[in-house]
Structure formats: structure tokens, C-alpha cells
Amino acid sequence: MIDEIQNFKNYLTQVITIDNKSFDMSIEYLKIERICKGEYFVKDGQVCSKIAYIHEGLFRIYYLKDGIEINTCFCNEDSITSSFNSFINHIPSNENIQALENSVVVTLSFENLEKLYLESPIWQTISRLLTEKECLRLSDRASSLSFESAMEKYKNLLKYQPEIIQRASVQHIASYIGVSRETLSRIRAKIG
Amino acid sequence: MIDEIQNFKNYLTQVITIDNKSFDMSIEYLKIERICKGEYFVKDGQVCSKIAYIHEGLFRIYYLKDGIEINTCFCNEDSITSSFNSFINHIPSNENIQALENSVVVTLSFENLEKLYLESPIWQTISRLLTEKECLRLSDRASSLSFESAMEKYKNLLKYQPEIIQRASVQHIASYIGVSRETLSRIRAKIG
DNA sequence: GCTATTTTGTGACAATTGTCAATTGAAGTC
DNA sequence: GACTTCAATTGACAATTGTCACAAAATAGC
């Protein structure tokens, strides 16, 4: 099995024990795609019809609010990215998913995922568990944004996602933690 | 069928078409509970082993951060509440779910939900769809908290959940939108 | 290498929000 | 109705953060 697919399988194994047969039925549906730095996995206005397991690379999710980019998420290797609302409800995305580095992803279309749901109930369970995981992440994020100071939010990012600080730009990080880039600059100057 | 159960069924119907047979198999597992104003559905430290469909009433979810209560959610009638992380992972909750009004809920235990998963795959789907719904709510909440001003956050609450403003106290609402209660008082004075 | 462009950092100041204290108001009890 | 208790409001001031302008640094293109 090629690396990309194997990694995807390992990722799922972290959430649930999946037998080879159930996983193998997905292989014909998976597609490997390369997305260069700066390019988009999903653009505002498109329907996001697939999810991507990131084998290698880094993405950011952002949307435009009064012409300003609001970063809502960074997704790095060994995680899954997609424009959630768009994917689930088949409506045009209001988000953009952009590669911040040259990336390699394994994609699975909604259409094929629904086939998997019918072929084996474990895919339902996988979907549910991954969604639950995302819920917990969002819940933590909401908590963090609601009452932490800019400094605390930055320190927590440093603690829990230090690789993002190495790999993403200051302006994107600032937007992600909900502060102006000048404020983030000053915080970085203090911490060193 | 008694009102509480019928309402729960109607609620599920909004998410998915459920045949009578599949729904009926849940009935023996459902339990109706009354929770008086001020009392708790879940307390910090307990494992939350069930979810509650709220037939009537209002709850808030909060946790303690340095002795301060942080409100993360209001749940009113015709919605589902639970301490998510605790319920899913069977770990002690760090949240409290408190009734703000005398309430009537329909509960379903994790144990029984798992039985339903085995009895009919539609329960898996229901779980997944409800989780997806929660994800979207959290995602909107995180966005709102990350860049809106106190005034904007209050106005949006007024727009999308006006009943909360009528029924919850200023201090709880303030905590929910992530501002001090004094600031919220001033905003209310301005808007009138 | 050099220039052009973008990103980041810094200073000055303004706006927003938080904190503390005191007052007003509302709800419940006797 | 008076009293107690808790919630909400208001004022004064401080702290945090945002905004704007510009300088410094990093990056990309040639």
C-alpha cells in the first residue's frame, strides 16, 4: 500500500479499530492530489464535495468579513480538512481552504463516502467519531476565544500547536487567535 | 404517545426521516425527568452518561475557570443537551448543566444509545447528523467570539436567540458572549 | 548581487473593555 | 409593609487592544 493511503489508514486507526476488509473497500474511492503553496483546496462559492486527509503540508481555512480575511483553522499533516458546512449540506462554501505549503492529500468524495456508508456501517461510525472530535476542538477553541487575553491565547497556541507558530505567518496567526497583527507582534516581542 | 416523546420524535424528524418502527424501538429506553430551577442535570466531576432532549425549560452549561463561572451554552426547549466530551469519552465532566427554569427532559443513556446503534443503523446516522449540527453551531460561535465587538455579539444574540435575552440573567448572558456584566449593562442601556 | 514587494515590528494615540466601588432595583421572606 | 438578599446599573479610572503611520526586515523576482 502506498504511503499516503497507509497514513490515512493509521489515522483512522487512532479513532477506531478498523478491519482490513472494511478499509480496503475505500481504496478504490480514494484519490491522491497535490496542492501547491498558495493554491486552494476549496474556494468561497464552490461546493466542497470532498474531504482531504493531509499526508503532507499545511492549510489554512479563512473567510472574508467586510473584505478582511478571518482565519478559522490551521490544518497540518495527519489531520482531515474540509469545508464542513458545504460538504455536509451540499451548499456553496463561505470558506477558503488554502495550502500554505506544498501539500499532498488523500481525498474522498461525498458521493463515495455515502457508498461506503451503505457498504459497511463502520464508515458511519468513523464519520460520527471524526465529527465528535471536531466538535471537541471547536468547543475548546470557542472557550479560548471567549475569555482568554491575547497573551494567553498565544501562549496556548505555543503550547498546543507550536508547529503552527513555526510554519504560519504572523498575520495569519493573529487572525486565528482573534487579535490584530500589531498586538501579536508586541506579544512576540515580550516573550521573545 | 405522550407529548414529551412525540416532541422528541418530531425533533429527530427535522434532521432525518425516521420510520415508526425505528423510532419505536427507542421508546422503552427513554426516560422522562423533571429538573427544578437551579438544579443540575450534570455536575462538574460526574460522568455524564446520558443526553437530554429538552421538552420544556431552559439550561445553561458552564465551567469554572479560576473560580469564575464561564457560560458556554444556553439550551432551551426543543433542543438536546449533554456534556459532550464526558458523554462521548466516559470521562468526568468539567462542565455543569444547570436548569434556569423548571424543566422536563427526555433522557437516553449512552448504554441504550449503543443498543440502538446495533438495532438499527439509522441511530448511527441520527447521532452523526446531530453531531454535525452541533459542529456548525460551535463553528459559528467561535467565529462570533473571535472578532465581533461586544455590541455586535449582543446584537447577534438578540437576532438569533432573542428568547435567551428574555429568559436568562444579564450575568449569564455576559459570560456567554465573553464580556463583563458591566459592559453588557452599558450596551443594553444604549440599545434600550 | 540588486530592486520590488510583502511581511513584520514599533511608536503614538484612540477606542473598547475590564475592574472596583457605590447605588439602584427587584424578588423573596417574614 | 419592612427587611434581607441578590442582581443590575452607573461612575471613575486603568488596562488592553486596535488603528494608523512609518520603519525595518524578510522574501521573491530578475
Side-chain angles (χ1 to χ4, degrees):
Chain A
M1 199 184 299
I2 61 168
D3 263 17
E4 287 83 348
I5 307 283
Q6 182 63 52
N7 281 352
F8 178 49
K9 185 175 175 182
N10 293 344
Y11 175 78
L12 294 184
T13 308
Q14 289 169 31
V15 202
I16 193 171
T17 307
I18 184 169
D19 57 296
N20 290 335
K21 199 181 137 219
S22 293
F23 181 78
D24 290 350
M25 63 177 67
S26 76
I27 294 180
E28 62 167 319
Y29 297 141
L30 302 176
K31 214 175 123 189
I32 293 175
E33 295 182 38
R34 273 152 221 291
I35 301 172
C36 293
K37 181 173 174 172
E39 290 184 354
Y40 288 84
F41 175 63
V42 182
K43 270 196 170 177
D44 193 343
Q46 297 174 337
V47 174
C48 175
S49 60
K50 52 196 178 182
I51 58 171
Y53 166 78
I54 303 168
H55 168 69
E56 191 186 307
L58 178 67
F59 291 81
R60 69 173 177 126
I61 305 183
Y62 72 91
Y63 64 93
L64 292 177
K65 156 92 177 172
D66 307 327
I68 308 284
E69 295 182 358
I70 312 270
N71 257 81
T72 57
C73 191
F74 291 108
C75 309
N76 59 1
E77 54 283 316
D78 205 32
S79 69
I80 284 179
T81 190
S82 182
S83 180
F84 221 72
N85 197 3
S86 174
F87 181 75
I88 292 165
N89 299 313
H90 317 99
I91 57 176
S93 174
N94 55 357
E95 301 176 315
N96 302 276
I97 305 184
Q98 183 186 36
L100 296 177
E101 298 172 1
N102 293 331
S103 303
V104 179
V105 301
V106 179
T107 64
L108 174 61
S109 71
F110 188 86
E111 212 184 332
N112 286 331
L113 180 60
E114 289 215 307
K115 284 184 199 157
L116 288 172
Y117 285 166
L118 297 175
E119 291 176 30
S120 164
I122 199 172
W123 286 96
Q124 281 270 2
T125 309
I126 289 171
S127 245
R128 179 172 56 80
L129 293 173
L130 292 177
T131 310
E132 284 171 0
K133 212 176 161 187
E134 176 66 4
C135 255
L136 296 178
R137 188 190 70 79
L138 283 168
S139 167
D140 284 347
R141 176 165 158 74
S143 281
S144 165
L145 288 167
S146 77
F147 69 87
E148 287 173 4
S149 68
M151 177 67 92
E152 283 176 310
K153 287 186 279 188
Y154 184 73
K155 278 186 176 166
N156 278 331
L157 190 62
L158 203 55
K159 192 169 167 187
Y160 297 110
Q161 297 183 272
E163 71 283 2
I164 297 300
I165 289 174
Q166 300 302 319
R167 292 160 67 184
S169 69
V170 170
Q171 57 183 339
H172 292 159
I173 295 169
S175 170
Y176 177 65
I177 63 177
V179 303
S180 69
R181 81 196 146 68
E182 292 92 337
T183 297
L184 182 53
S185 262
R186 291 188 180 104
I187 287 170
R188 283 157 64 94
K190 267 191 194 165
I191 293 182
Chain B
M1 199 184 299
I2 61 169
D3 263 17
E4 287 83 347
I5 306 285
Q6 182 63 51
N7 281 351
F8 177 49
K9 185 176 175 181
N10 292 345
Y11 175 77
L12 294 184
T13 308
Q14 289 170 32
V15 203
I16 194 171
T17 307
I18 184 168
D19 56 296
N20 290 334
K21 200 182 137 217
S22 293
F23 181 78
D24 290 349
M25 63 176 66
S26 77
I27 294 180
E28 62 167 319
Y29 297 142
L30 301 177
K31 214 174 125 190
I32 293 174
E33 296 183 37
R34 274 151 220 289
I35 301 173
C36 292
K37 180 173 172 173
E39 291 185 352
Y40 289 83
F41 175 63
V42 182
K43 271 196 169 177
D44 191 343
Q46 297 174 336
V47 174
C48 174
S49 60
K50 53 196 177 182
I51 57 171
Y53 166 78
I54 304 168
H55 167 70
E56 189 186 308
L58 178 67
F59 291 81
R60 69 175 177 126
I61 304 183
Y62 72 91
Y63 64 93
L64 291 177
K65 156 91 177 173
D66 308 327
I68 308 283
E69 294 182 358
I70 312 269
N71 258 82
T72 57
C73 192
F74 291 108
C75 308
N76 58 1
E77 54 283 318
D78 205 33
S79 69
I80 283 179
T81 191
S82 181
S83 179
F84 221 72
N85 197 4
S86 174
F87 182 75
I88 292 165
N89 299 312
H90 315 100
I91 56 177
S93 173
N94 55 358
E95 301 175 316
N96 302 276
I97 305 184
Q98 184 187 35
L100 297 179
E101 297 172 1
N102 294 331
S103 304
V104 179
V105 301
V106 178
T107 65
L108 173 62
S109 71
F110 188 87
E111 211 184 332
N112 287 331
L113 181 59
E114 290 215 306
K115 283 183 199 159
L116 289 172
Y117 286 166
L118 298 175
E119 290 174 32
S120 162
I122 199 171
W123 286 95
Q124 280 269 2
T125 310
I126 289 171
S127 246
R128 180 171 57 79
L129 293 174
L130 292 177
T131 310
E132 284 172 359
K133 211 176 161 187
E134 176 67 3
C135 252
L136 296 178
R137 188 190 70 80
L138 283 168
S139 168
D140 284 347
R141 176 165 158 75
S143 280
S144 165
L145 288 167
S146 77
F147 69 87
E148 287 173 4
S149 68
M151 178 68 91
E152 283 177 309
K153 287 186 279 188
Y154 183 72
K155 278 186 177 167
N156 278 331
L157 189 63
L158 203 55
K159 192 170 169 187
Y160 297 109
Q161 297 183 271
E163 70 284 2
I164 298 299
I165 290 174
Q166 299 303 319
R167 293 159 68 181
S169 68
V170 169
Q171 57 183 341
H172 291 159
I173 295 169
S175 170
Y176 177 64
I177 62 177
V179 303
S180 68
R181 62 172 204 290
E182 292 92 337
T183 296
L184 182 52
S185 260
R186 291 187 180 103
I187 287 170
R188 284 157 63 95
K190 266 192 196 168
I191 294 182

